[in-house]
Amino acid sequence: MHTTVGILGGGPAGLLLARLLHLAGIDSVVLENRTRAYVEQRQRAGILEQTTVETLRAAGAGERMDREGLVHHGIDLRFDGRSHRIGFPELTGGRSVVLYAQTEVVKDLVALHLAEGGPLLFEAEAHAVDGADTDRPAVRYTHQGREQTLTCDYVVGCDGFHGVVRNAIPEHLRRTYERTYPYSWLGVLADAPPVHDELVYAHSGRGFALASMRSPVVSRCYLQVPDATHLDDWPDGRIWDELDARLAADGSRPLHRGPITARSVLPMRSHVTEPMHWGRVFLAGDAAHIVPPTGAKGLNLAVADVLVLARALTERYATGSAELLDAYSATCLKRVWRAEHFSWFMTTTLHSEVGQSPFDTRLQLSQLDRIATSPHAAAELAHNYVGLPVGLPGESPSR
Ligand code: RFL
Ligand code: PHB
């Protein structure tokens, strides 16, 4: 089989890239090693930046998002027993975010692609890319028990953090930058109305907590827990008690409790692979970079990469110029490192390390107080949260 663009991975990055290329008249094949049901149910991100929302709309995948997504104009920061709202539009020239789950984004993109797009193969596992520096790179993969080869003009690794495509970049040219954090998140989904109409990020002496949601009747909440925490140690009552204790602030009310329908423990890490392009191979999304989820950046970074890459491939096939393709890695890494910094900042400002010194806690509280009381500090957080420029040609750099 031959295709113009071989896309490895059918998560948000791979599916959206296939859709944008389809709209530009460029054919692709998507290989995804999991089943459709699995990728559509994998609980992950919730917050979409405005550029992500606009991109999904322009891709024709915005209809249900516009109907069911919840527009959020701010977040609540809680620390030292107090609650402070950071309002986005007034700090960012009118920008906001939308709460619409990654599971739903993936369902919408899969349905669109199966109805209108090129081949999207589930349970197709890519093993390796050969000839990345030739004009005809080839992907070796297994589908329905058979080893097969897909030759392509270009190969894009949208295969997530554990993917194989980044190995196509020779080891001596590949640099990785990594940081792990000495704690994890316990994430739960519950049939209970959210405690607040916006997200609540809480710093507390007991550790970090986040109260998010999936709909007006479904809550999504997270607790900072030690690494290697066992779910058995966290019966429902303990989870709700701990969320109440960490989220408590003057005038706040206890959470609405309901059946917990899913729970998992997630490690926290930052990771960047450079460059994001070598020869005819490109990396996009989690395949190239991971952020801890505290800043809600991962999915949005994946969408922004794909937007830049789709534009560059479109120019390549419309004009023959590879200028934007050659600039892809540098363009994306500028935004990626800003998001890495913001995600690290949110994580280290809001979480407590075991044995953390009172001095470090005072620094965190001072920083949070600065954000709560200075419009300049709040605006910096708000701009990063709603999303910085993607790096498209002609885009205003001033946000
Ligand atoms: P994905 O979603 O991991 O998709 C990669 C796909 O590639 C497939 N694959 C392969 N297919 C074929 N052959 C192989 N050899 C393959 N190896 C892997 C995998 O099965 C998979 O389907 O990466 P992508 O598309 O780059 O999307 C990235 C996002 O999923 C991720 O960044 C976000 O979920 C991160 N994230 C958040 N991001 C936000 O923007 N806002 C948020 O609010 C937010 N919250 C979160 C998050 C991530 C979380 N977790 C679980 C780490 C909350 C959490 C709890
Ligand atoms: C979520 O709703 O899953 C979510 C929201 C904001 C974050 C992380 C996760 O920072």
Side-chain angles (χ1 to χ4, degrees), residues 9-147:
L15 293 167
L16 181 62
L17 179 62
R19 176 69 187 164
L20 295 175
L21 293 179
H22 172 74
L23 293 175
I26 299 170
D27 66 271
S28 69
V29 171
V30 182
L31 304 179
E32 164 57 51
N33 70 353
R34 301 288 195 157
T35 63
R36 177 177 179 182
Y38 184 90
V39 299
E40 289 186 346
Q41 272 148 38
R42 196 165 34 195
Q43 275 303 322
R44 285 193 169 176
I47 291 287
L48 309 182
E49 295 174 1
Q50 201 160 311
T51 302
T52 301
V53 168
E54 286 158 11
T55 304
L56 290 169
R57 258 183 218 142
E63 195 204 321
R64 200 161 63 93
M65 172 187 73
D66 282 333
R67 226 177 328 121
E68 297 176 14
L70 306 170
V71 179
H72 282 203
H73 296 301
I75 55 170
D76 209 35
L77 274 185
R78 290 191 187 162
F79 59 94
D80 223 6
R82 288 174 292 141
S83 185
H84 302 270
R85 181 169 186 272
I86 310 293
F88 297 147
E90 55 271 39
L91 293 164
T92 62
R95 297 175 79 78
S96 294
V97 295
V98 169
L99 193 133
Y100 187 64
Q102 180 168 329
T103 46
E104 308 314 298
V105 172
V106 167
K107 280 180 205 157
D108 295 345
L109 288 169
V110 167
L112 256 183
H113 198 76
L114 291 176
E116 299 174 14
L120 160 55
L121 307 185
F122 290 101
E123 298 177 83
E125 184 177 2
H127 304 300
V129 181
D130 300 320
D133 56 344
T134 69
D135 286 353
R136 187 150 285 218
V139 180
R140 277 184 281 126
Y141 69 101
T142 304
H143 184 49
Q144 295 174 333
R146 283 180 34 227
E147 281 253 359

